[in-house]
Amino acid sequence: MTRLTGLITHNWPLKLAAIALATLLYAGLALSQNARVWPGRVPIEAVNQPSGAFLLENLGDVTTIRYYAPAEVASRISSSDFQALADLSSVTPALGGAPVSVPVEVIPLDPRIKVLDFQPDRVAVRLDPVITRTVPISVERGTVPAGLQIGDPVLGAQTAAVRGASSLVERVDTVSARVAIDPTGINVDGDVDLVALDAQGDLVAPVDITPDRVHVTIIVARESASRSVPVAPDLVGAPAAGWSVRSVTVEPTVVTVRGPLDAVAAMTSIATEPIDLQGRTADLTTTVDLVTPAEVEVVDSGRVRVTVVIVADRGSRSFGVGLRPTGALPDRSYALSVPDVLVTLGGTSAILESVDPAELSATVPVGGLQPGSHVVKVVFEAPDGTNLVAVSPAEVTVIVTAASSPTPSPTPTP
């Protein structure tokens, strides 16, 4: 019995350690056989970052976490159940931020979750010393719209302090206030955000700028120009019915204008004040002012003399007119090829409307025509105020026949 007891108690610490190790191995085997894999991503957070240091790059994410958890917990696992940390307390900032390998720790936020392993378990960290530099402030105006002149910018501050990672701050060449020139010519007068730029004009970020805004004042004015433009009379209204405008003359016909470049360049002519012709039947001569766009002035006199010539409308009208022979001899008969002709008269609309067709007549002179067939020109005299445009037909055929002698009565036989 004593011997058996001695065998059991002999080297008992080693035996207990062996039992504990076996238990742990068994538990690990059991856990590994029931482990799950979560394929999501958990951002790696930097902790204990040294003061005066700037983290140049994002630390990335932890992925492919192997864990053990009860089924009811594993069914709802998300990134919010884990926290990935990288302790930077042992990293010394270096100019330019040389990479340093730092271990990653993943902590389950639910005590029922046991993390077995994950990837990556280490990350490269680049810590750069934080420095501050004073750089000049410049103004970036962009493209100046055509027709504008701008003055030199006036700044509320001439320099700004740029603070950040040394590798970024050293790249900064200037701090720029970016302004846009309004095409309408409005002055620039207000606070503008500042951005850090390198020598090539590219943005440098992230850096802190103090002050982050600056007041910018720029005087904007329109370019001045002058040119000669024709005068265009502005006629309104219409003459009375039957009357029309024959001609319009202006003295002077061309004037010189001066003003902003864009406004002057857009002018193809300059109009007069409205000239009313409503119901007129007579010529009009008047002196009127010129109408100029805003900010444009007439170098010469701003008044012109306009003469409008108004005439009655002219047209033509056709009438059917009967024919009658003139100069007929009593011993002859005359037959005309047509009984009437179409007469076209020209004149003003008012006179043509007043012509009475019943008072019109056309004649065919037949005096002196011998028996036979003759082609004779139609004669027509146009009424006063009109002119003869055409007669159709202009000639007619006249057949002249001699009258037969009467048969003598027989002499009675005694």
Side-chain angles (χ1 to χ4, degrees), residues 330-372:
D331 59 347
R332 296 177 183 176
S333 61
Y334 302 90
L336 304 181
S337 57
V338 293
D340 51 39
V341 292
L342 186 66
V343 175
T344 301
L345 299 177
T348 65
S349 299
I351 292 179
L352 291 176
E353 287 293 332
S354 66
V355 173
D356 184 0
E359 296 179 357
L360 301 178
S361 65
T363 61
V364 179
V366 297
L369 296 180
Q370 300 299 318

Side-chain angles (χ1 to χ4, degrees), residues 10-233:
H10 180 69
N11 291 331
W12 65 268
L14 293 177
K15 292 178 180 179
L16 286 177
I19 293 172
L21 179 59
T23 301
L24 289 174
L25 290 175
Y26 177 78
L29 177 63
L31 286 174
S32 64
Q33 289 177 343
N34 292 277
R36 300 172 184 268
V37 176
W38 183 70
R41 310 180 77 88
V42 178
I44 302 175
E45 303 174 35
V47 294
N48 300 323
Q49 180 174 327
S51 61
F54 185 85
L55 186 60
L56 290 178
E57 298 171 354
N58 190 295
L59 298 182
D61 302 325
V62 165
T63 61
T64 318
I65 300 175
R66 293 181 67 248
Y67 68 97
Y68 171 77
E72 67 274 13
V73 176
S75 63
R76 56 172 180 78
I77 287 292
S78 69
S79 60
S80 62
D81 292 308
F82 302 99
Q83 185 178 25
L85 304 176
D87 189 349
L88 308 187
S89 59
S90 61
V91 180
T92 301
L95 190 64
V100 177
S101 180
V102 175
V104 177
E105 179 184 8
V106 174
I107 303 172
L109 303 182
D110 188 328
R112 293 172 294 177
I113 301 173
K114 305 298 181 184
V115 175
L116 301 179
D117 59 58
F118 51 85
Q119 293 296 329
D121 57 359
R122 300 185 72 87
V123 291
V125 175
R126 297 179 62 203
L127 280 183
D128 201 0
V130 173
I131 64 171
T132 301
R133 282 182 58 219
T134 299
V135 296
I137 298 176
S138 62
V139 175
E140 185 178 335
R141 301 172 304 186
T143 302
V144 178
L148 296 182
Q149 293 178 326
I150 62 175
D152 294 330
V154 178
L155 298 175
Q158 301 301 316
T159 60
V162 181
R163 183 176 186 275
S166 62
S167 57
L168 294 176
V169 173
E170 291 296 339
R171 286 177 49 203
V172 178
D173 180 68
T174 182
V175 171
S176 177
R178 293 176 171 175
V179 299
I181 305 300
D182 194 294
T184 61
I186 299 176
N187 292 338
V188 176
D189 188 8
D191 291 341
V192 182
D193 291 333
L194 294 175
V195 293
L197 304 177
D198 62 15
Q200 287 70 44
D202 296 328
L203 182 67
V204 179
V207 292
D208 294 327
I209 303 173
T210 305
D212 59 350
R213 294 170 65 83
V214 68
H215 192 87
V216 180
T217 302
I218 301 177
I219 302 300
V220 181
R222 294 182 177 274
E223 293 185 16
S224 180
S226 62
R227 63 179 297 198
S228 296
V229 293
V231 177

